[in-house]
Amino acid sequence: MTTDSPTPDTGAELLPIATPARTRAALRTLIRPDRGLALTGLGILVGATVVGLLVQPLLGRIVDIVADGRPAGDLTLPVVLLVAVAVVQGLTTMLGLTRIARLGETVLARLRERFVERALNLPADRLERAGAGDLTARVTGDVARVAEAVRSALPEMARSVLAILLTLGALALLDVRFLLAALLAVPVQLLTARWYVRRALTLYADQRVANGAQQQQLLETIGGAVTVRGHRLEEQHTERSAGRSRKAVDFTMRSVNLVLGFYGRLHIAEYIGLAAVLIAGFWLVRDGAVSIGTATAAALYFHSLFGPVNAALVLLDDAQSAAAGLARLVGVTDLAEQPEAGKPEAGKPTAGKPEVGKPEAGKAAPASVPRQRIASSEAAVTVHAVSHAYGPGRPVLHEVSLTLEPGEHVALVGTSGAGKSTLARIVAGVQQPTAGTVTSPGGEGSAPAGAGEHPVVLVTQEVHVFTGTLAEDLRLARPEATDADLRAALATVHALDWAEALPDGLATVVGEGGHRLDPARAQQLALARLVLADPALAVLDEATAEAGSAGARVLERSAEAALDGRTALVVAHRLTQAVAADRVVVLEAGRVVESGPHDELRDADGPYAALWRAWSGSRTAAPHP
């Protein structure tokens, strides 16, 4: 179960945060595969703590020997035992903490893998509504906070809790009245912990949200620096950044004041407990109930609790911060598993992966609604009565129905905001419709003739060049591809010449910190990956839009070659792509208003004809078949 994140003043709909109960359940699931390691580590730490508890009685024994005026030789045995206790405790503690640390790192790695896997499967519109800053803050700050807690807080917390419980037991063995005196500090400590926890969880969660909003503002300002300067908005954006920074600083100062108050209350508890144990020792020694050495051991036992008790309570600070971060991470992992609230009613068919919401009673939310793979003799893609809205009152598509035959190239055209990209993402399976069904390559059965390992591949105008060699970037689509396969794919999209002209050819490092590829070459790289993936269905969402006029024809030829022999849906940024398509589908306000060959629609004096006249009239030489 998850709850919605507090929405900052960015207007973004932040990704959800898991409830405490759901966070604990997720943590148990993460630890379950390593229960043996956890039990072994805790067992060794118990042994190390028990051995360490022998120090205080041995010191008390030494006090009794000195107080009774015994010979110096009587001190030999307790001193030797003290040395042995120190050695054994040190070795066992090291071994136990090593196992606990290994457990923590294993669980952390599993959490990171699950988070990345689920984050990559999140619906595109959900990420757009949340903004890049929220996800970035979670994948950086929250993961780092959880990692810090795992590496430092988890082992120390385990050792501290064991030391507290066993030391209190040892006090009871000396004399139960020592235990009762020590327990006078507990109410103050519990009230302190309760006071802190009630404030810390909300404070740290709000602090993480404020940090995410601050990061989002910085990303928007830096990413859009050219536009900001062009519209003379520097002062406005600087003030927004400063405002969100002040808010983040305010939360930080509130957390500092909270910690200071926490420590002050702990010192009061220490004074009360130690004073009570010393007074109890004085009365018991005076009455002859215990020796001076036993009273000394009791005082040393309680004094030894300062470290573990304070550590355990202080670690509540790290634990609360880590718990807030973990809840934000679990909220993302759950989001990819649950259908989104406001999606179709029970019984209505859907396609793609569900988002956050309530799964059908008695059933787990599916990772995705099956998309049936179909034989080559059937329609390659069937979209039936698909509707989609990005929120209440924000419809984008209205009962769109569309069929793509095997090997057919369909161009999707329309004005900005008509719903072209949304429909393309739904057909590709990366966006889930509010209602309707999509049948396309994928799922069980046999693929259309010539289909490769990947049933559907989407290429958009926002292409990322991954850091690494050019060959590694290409092999993301097919890891087992040989260099000959890579060259063949590059040649197909007319990119082999420039690829081989790079300083190290296919071994040239590209991406961040490497050789820079211009937008046209980056797009050709994406199209080469499409060729390597060899999908049954290819969806191109304005995949030539970033090239500019100079590289447009080159990219269009590359796209035509990459799509040759496969079914394709192309969101046409330039109407030359519509000319080359087998069929043109025109969207207006989320509805299909025209469908047919380019020549027929151009001469029909309908919406497409108007688009064609407007587009061709803006060029000195309008393309015409």
Side-chain angles (χ1 to χ4, degrees), residues 394-448:
R394 297 171 57 196
V396 178
L397 297 176
H398 305 273
E399 296 188 350
V400 173
S401 294
L402 176 66
T403 299
L404 280 71
E405 299 296 335
E408 184 182 24
H409 291 183
V410 174
L412 202 58
V413 302
T415 58
S416 178
K420 304 185 298 297
S421 294
T422 300
L423 180 58
R425 290 190 300 214
I426 289 174
V427 171
V430 299
Q431 182 71 58
Q432 294 73 51
T434 302
T437 59
V438 177
T439 303
S440 66
E444 303 297 332
S446 58

Side-chain angles (χ1 to χ4, degrees), residues 373-378 380 406-407 441 446-452 534-537 564-567:
R373 178 175 287 180
I374 46 193
S376 58
S377 61
E378 301 175 4
S446 58
D534 192 21
L537 169 65
D564 186 41
R566 67 183 92 253
T567 307

